[in-house]
Amino acid sequence: MSERFSSHGLDAQGIRTGATLHWNLTTAPLVEHAVQRGEGLLANGGPLVVKTGKHTGRSAQDKFTVRDAETENTVWWGKSNKAMAPADFAALKADFLTQLGTKDTLFVQDLFGGSQPEHRVKVRVINEYAWHSLFIRTMLVRPESDELANFVPEFTIIDLPSFRADPARHGCRSETVIAVNLTEKLILIGGTEYGGEMKKSVFGLLNYLLPPQGIMPMHCSANIGPNGDTAVFFGLSGTGKTTLSADKSRTLIGDDEHGWSDTAVFNFEGGCYAKMIRLSAESEPEIYATTRRFGTLLENVVMDPVTRELDLDDATLAENSRGVYPIDFIPNSSEDNLGPVPKNLIMLTADAFGVLPPIARLTPDQAMYHFLSGYTAKVAGTEIGVTEPEATFSTCFGAPFMPRHPSIYGNLLKQRIAEGNVACWLVNTGWTGGKYGIGHRMPIKATRALLNAALDGSLNDAEFRKDSNFGFEVPVAVTGVDLSILDPRQTWVDRNEYDRMAAKLVDLFVENFAQFADHVDDGVRQAAPKVAA
């Protein structure tokens, strides 16, 4: 029998529906349903290709958290965490359940968020699309058959792309809504087909639940070296988290979301969600290979309708085209999705200003400063009227997913770094030789060489200089790396223009960090950059 039922059905949760329910289907039957229902097509090589319509990324402005006695003093209310009144959620829930009851077919998955058994959460996800059920089953941790039989969910997600919210009735912004009720342990997603909303909802949930337990939740990738040394890679989208962690010489723990407990770094997920646009078989062979496999799900990747060949360079449908695949599709992935506590911590940034060095060594105070800053940069031309790089600061390298105040995560991280004597590094995968449009992207071979030297410990033996603007230590020479890229100022034809751009970036850092100054100690405040005299 392909379906694996739970003794704790939807009726036990007060959910009434006459729909045919498909419980915990595995990959092949979910793909069959998706194709039969016209939700997607199989590409040459076997992946299922789907389109997400107008929503090709997260709808951050349409996400709300119910503000009640549970969350009033625990959630960091503001831009990233917008409030919804309990009465508005009640109306939304009633309308969701009414629409759910009209569906002919529903797909249910019982899954874990978190790979370390003592720190995971049981999540039930109810979908109207088969491919959404495949998406979340691939992304989260899949229970064993005996665990499914008596599975009782702690949290439930209902995802109805066909639902249209009413701002006047539901207290939201548009027809699209992501509403999180931590008291009722229910998340409602409507009006969007983008699969990532489900994944990030679970991430936000764990980011709320784990800190009181002393567990550090992280928007990072992680891998393990041949000597059992774990490294974690923080970074926003486009900085190289997934690419740099998928290293054939190291064992992959996961590519996006992890927890740091007393005993382990553990993956929140059982799959990977990698950017596909302009993916290179040469630079990212392990990830590229997944695009030729049955069991991979591709969002908004352009495909020839006749030959079913993929064109990963075509951004017609989305710049944010994505691939979803089980983590064991990466040949050297961790069987248990966890590893020892880390020896190295890497913060990735794609600096389009061309100011930051390719690698720098950070003190614990500097690490907390840059973690709370969460810096990367958008390139010019991505928006009308933007002619220079635009700084992006996303605290904790994941502000939209951090329900609590950033200082809670920052202090947890600083404590973990101190307890484990963890080496901290800032790595710039962005531009060198000038800002975007003048310079060029940091060579990935140089980035990998510098990372390898940091991770194997040999970089600690190098000679370092103190950066005149940011105060961190930068290696003067590293074997196998062109000396010219190690000092960003020397790569610019116009050194005065470099100084001007560096001063601008320093000012942006200082201005952004003002919101955290009262929540950190003096050592972290002193780690702020200063314009060189």
Side-chain angles (χ1 to χ4, degrees):
M1 184 171 65
S2 64
E3 304 204 17
R4 296 168 295 172
F5 301 92
S6 167
S7 59
H8 190 84
L10 296 188
D11 54 345
Q13 298 180 260
I15 298 174
R16 304 283 183 263
T17 177
T20 299
L21 299 178
H22 293 292
W23 285 86
N24 296 305
L25 293 183
T26 55
T27 299
L30 284 171
V31 171
E32 288 173 352
H33 277 288
V35 172
Q36 289 168 0
R37 291 158 56 91
E39 296 175 5
L41 295 169
L42 287 178
N44 190 26
L48 177 66
V49 181
V50 298
K51 298 175 183 177
T52 65
K54 67 178 182 179
H55 293 287
T56 60
R58 290 182 306 101
S59 300
Q61 298 306 310
D62 294 307
K63 180 187 172 189
F64 299 87
T65 301
V66 175
R67 191 167 189 161
D68 58 15
E70 164 68 30
T71 58
E72 176 66 41
N73 298 313
T74 54
V75 167
W76 183 42
W77 300 108
K79 180 180 178 181
S80 296
N81 296 298
K82 294 178 288 298
M84 174 177 280
D88 291 330
F89 184 86
L92 181 68
K93 176 183 174 182
D95 292 346
F96 250 77
L97 293 181
T98 296
Q99 182 156 324
L100 195 70
T102 68
K103 297 298 173 184
D104 295 328
T105 304
L106 292 170
F107 300 87
V108 185
Q109 292 287 339
D110 290 331
L111 301 158
F112 295 129
S115 296
Q116 192 168 13
E118 56 267 44
H119 301 305
R120 66 193 183 192
V121 63
K122 295 178 179 178
V123 181
R124 173 167 288 171
V125 186
I126 304 168
N127 296 113
E128 61 176 312
Y129 289 176
W131 82 257
H132 274 184
S133 193
L134 174 62
F135 178 105
I136 201 63
R137 182 182 185 276
T138 303
M139 286 309 310
L140 293 187
V141 178
R142 297 164 287 281
E144 299 296 331
S145 294
D146 59 335
E147 294 174 313
L148 289 172
N150 299 304
F151 190 98
V152 178
E154 296 169 87
F155 284 82
T156 299
I157 297 173
I158 303 176
D159 187 355
L160 296 177
S162 62
F163 186 87
R164 296 293 178 264
D166 178 354
R169 174 171 166 77
H170 302 132
C172 53
R173 189 187 71 102
S174 72
E175 291 185 338
T176 299
V177 66
I178 302 95
V180 180
N181 191 318
L182 292 164
T183 299
E184 294 191 24
K185 299 184 176 181
L186 178 64
I187 299 172
L188 305 175
I189 303 172
T192 172
E193 297 183 36
Y194 182 65
E197 297 289 8
M198 293 181 287
K199 161 191 158 66
K200 289 304 184 186
S201 291
V202 176
F203 184 39
L205 184 60
L206 288 164
N207 287 341
Y208 182 81
L209 297 174
L210 293 180
Q213 304 174 37
I215 311 300
M216 175 65 196
M218 303 177 290
H219 186 210
C220 71
S221 57
N223 62 26
I224 312 168
N227 297 320
D229 56 301
T230 298
V232 297
F233 301 76
F234 289 99
L236 300 173
S237 179
T239 58
K241 271 200 335 295
T242 299
T243 297
L244 293 171
S245 58
D247 183 332
K248 64 181 179 181
S249 68
R250 298 176 65 86
T251 301
L252 180 68
I253 300 174
D255 80 326
D256 198 34
E257 300 166 3
H258 295 81
W260 183 349
S261 70
D262 291 337
T263 58
V265 168
F266 62 98
N267 195 348
F268 287 169
E269 303 177 314
C272 299
Y273 194 36
K275 285 193 111 173
M276 291 287 119
I277 194 67
R278 292 177 286 278
L279 191 70
S280 164
E282 179 184 1
S283 299
E284 298 114 343
E286 293 86 3
I287 301 172
Y288 186 87
T290 69
T291 68
R292 271 51 181 173
R293 291 191 61 170
F294 179 81
T296 293
L297 172 66
L298 298 175
E299 289 181 330
N300 302 314
V301 171
V302 174
M303 178 180 68
D304 186 296
V306 176
T307 66
R308 302 290 179 92
E309 292 290 341
L310 302 172
D311 185 351
L312 300 179
D313 296 327
D314 190 334
T316 302
L317 294 176
E319 181 70 24
N320 187 39
S321 59
R322 293 271 180 169
V324 182
Y325 49 88
I327 193 169
D328 59 18
F329 277 19
I330 301 297
N332 55 330
S333 59
S334 165
E335 185 174 340
D336 299 319
N337 285 1
L338 53 80
V341 294
K343 296 290 186 184
N344 286 278
L345 185 154
I346 296 98
M347 297 183 190
L348 300 168
T349 180
D351 176 30
F353 290 84
V355 168
L356 296 179
I359 196 166
R361 186 166 61 186
L362 307 176
T363 66
D365 283 332
Q366 289 170 338
M368 184 172 173
Y369 183 93
H370 284 276
F371 176 71
L372 289 175
S373 296
Y375 165 71
T376 193
K378 295 178 184 177
V379 298
T382 55
E383 297 177 14
I384 296 173
V386 179
T387 57
E388 283 205 340
E390 182 178 312
T392 297
F393 293 96
S394 184
T395 184
C396 309
F397 292 96
F401 324 118
M402 303 294 172
R404 298 180 183 272
H405 193 278
S407 61
I408 291 175
Y409 306 104
N411 285 316
L412 256 177
L413 182 69
K414 188 178 178 183
Q415 176 188 337
R416 291 283 180 194
I417 289 170
E419 290 173 349
N421 193 27
V422 180
C424 300
W425 308 89
L426 182 70
V427 172
N428 174 23
T429 60
W431 275 256
T432 183
K435 65 181 182 180
Y436 173 82
I438 297 174
H440 57 86
R441 196 75 189 254
M442 199 72 70
I444 191 167
K445 288 184 178 179
T447 299
R448 285 200 182 277
L450 291 166
L451 267 178
N452 290 339
L455 298 180
D456 68 21
S458 61
L459 191 55
N460 286 313
D461 298 327
E463 178 187 352
F464 286 81
R465 65 175 178 84
K466 185 175 180 180
D467 186 89
S468 57
N469 291 295
F470 283 83
F472 42 48
E473 294 181 314
V474 181
V476 175
V478 178
T479 302
V481 177
D482 185 350
L483 285 176
S484 64
I485 72 167
L486 293 173
D487 186 349
R489 189 173 188 272
Q490 300 308 310
T491 66
W492 284 56
V493 174
D494 186 341
R495 310 287 165 76
N496 291 329
E497 178 63 11
Y498 170 87
D499 294 336
R500 186 188 75 81
M501 196 60 66
K504 177 180 179 179
L505 185 57
V506 166
D507 287 344
L508 290 170
F509 264 89
V510 172
E511 179 184 353
N512 172 74
F513 201 80
Q515 62 185 309
F516 307 124
D518 293 338
H519 300 278
V520 299
D521 59 35
D522 191 57
V524 177
R525 286 192 290 270
Q526 292 303 313
K530 302 171 181 66
V531 176

